[in-house]
Amino acid sequence: MKKIIGVYRNQNMHWVGDGFPVKNLFSYDRLGQAISPFLLLDYAAPYPFAPTAQQHGVGSHPHRGFETVTIAYQGAVTHKDSAGGGGTIQAGDVQWMTAGAGLVHEEFHSAEFAQSGGLFEMAQLWVNLPAKDKMTAPKYQAIAAQDIPAVQFENDAGQMRIIAGEYAGRHGPASTFSPVNVWDGVLKAGHAELIHVPADHTVLVTVLEGEMLLNGAQRVLDSSIVMFAKDGEAAIQLQAVRDAKFLVLTGKALDEPIQGYGPFVMNSKAEIAQAVSDFNSGKFGEIPVQAGS
């Protein structure tokens, strides 16, 4: 089985805007090339919001050079961007946004969720783009829950949803620029599964909720990330000590320089400076204003 080389836990919550109380489980500014092609994962653990007529979320802000993947577990988020993308994702849905050459977007709790209130739970992953694709045209993929295939584990032990890539012969609906697997799983306490992953990929397991035992030895609590060695092995064992919710992320490392500045991730300082200049001069466009809003 693949060797575990690191376990990191973060229970510290911070606010993104006024609608996303998140724990940052990993980031390229700490882990760098070790997690390539992934850049960041924020987990908004279940958080209660009271009913309101106000907008909660994050207002207009730019991105360039990577993709954001938002997985909705509870609650709903409405997205709009300057490239014409938009929509509302509900529990079970996924939003895969390619910032590419640059766009401006906003993310708010949906009007319906704000009005009713309730528990809000999301995860947002940043996936880096290869250098040759960083200036690709922005794109928006709205992936509905019913379009995400799920592999059921034996004995009603849980399931694995395939958002991107391939698992057990099932293919996820997301289109990617480099080889990436994004698998969203749940496993009931007392059950174990042997998961096969590409031997030459970066492999990360994030435990969002519950408690797991990995490879029969490593105890992992909620809000944790587990990193595996690129050792040619292609299997990891997941065992749930308590009912667990987790993500398995694998991807072919890009092995390209990473230069980031806030919402921009490029390959050089010159490209970052260009991104800032382009944004300041309005080249990222504007979010269309709807009539009556």
Side-chain angles (χ1 to χ4, degrees), residues 32 54 58 63 98 134 230 272:
Q54 296 180 325
V58 185
H63 289 298
T98 304
K134 281 192 174 291
K230 294 177 186 173
I272 292 293

Side-chain angles (χ1 to χ4, degrees), residues 33 128-129 131 134 254-259 265-268 271:
Q33 296 287 356
N128 206 359
L129 285 170
K134 281 192 174 291
L254 299 180
D255 293 327
E256 296 170 344
I258 302 171
Q259 191 71 46
V265 182
M266 303 299 289
N267 301 112
S268 69
E271 289 173 329

Side-chain angles (χ1 to χ4, degrees), residues 94-113:
V94 173
Q95 167 194 295
W96 195 297
M97 185 189 80
T98 304
L103 49 63
V104 175
H105 80 142
E106 63 182 30
E107 300 161 289
F108 289 104
H109 295 182
S110 74
E112 293 77 13
F113 175 74

Side-chain angles (χ1 to χ4, degrees), residues 131-185:
K132 66 180 179 61
D133 297 313
K134 281 192 174 291
M135 296 298 286
T136 193
K139 185 171 72 168
Y140 181 82
Q141 301 177 68
I143 303 171
Q146 64 264 27
D147 296 327
I148 301 173
V151 174
Q152 303 299 319
F153 298 143
E154 291 185 0
N155 302 315
D156 195 32
Q159 68 172 16
M160 193 83 90
R161 296 198 311 155
I162 303 91
I163 295 168
E166 183 266 338
Y167 177 79
R170 306 294 299 278
H171 292 266
S175 160
T176 67
F177 285 82
S178 64
V180 168
N181 290 301
V182 178
W183 305 333
D184 175 31

Side-chain angles (χ1 to χ4, degrees), residues 188-258:
K188 292 181 180 176
H191 291 271
E193 288 291 327
L194 191 67
I195 305 297
H196 294 280
V197 296
D200 61 344
H201 277 204
T202 298
V203 177
L204 307 172
V205 171
T206 62
V207 179
L208 304 179
E209 288 184 359
E211 181 181 342
M212 302 187 85
L213 193 68
L214 268 60
N215 291 354
Q218 179 66 56
R219 180 170 171 253
V220 185
L221 300 174
D222 62 281
S223 302
S224 296
I225 166 189
V226 183
M227 297 174 61
F228 293 85
K230 294 177 186 173
D231 52 11
E233 296 294 323
I236 53 178
Q237 188 189 50
L238 307 178
Q239 181 180 342
V241 178
R242 290 182 284 128
D243 287 359
K245 178 186 296 182
F246 61 93
L247 292 168
V248 178
L249 309 171
T250 92
K252 197 75 180 283
L254 299 180
D255 293 327
E256 296 170 344
I258 302 171

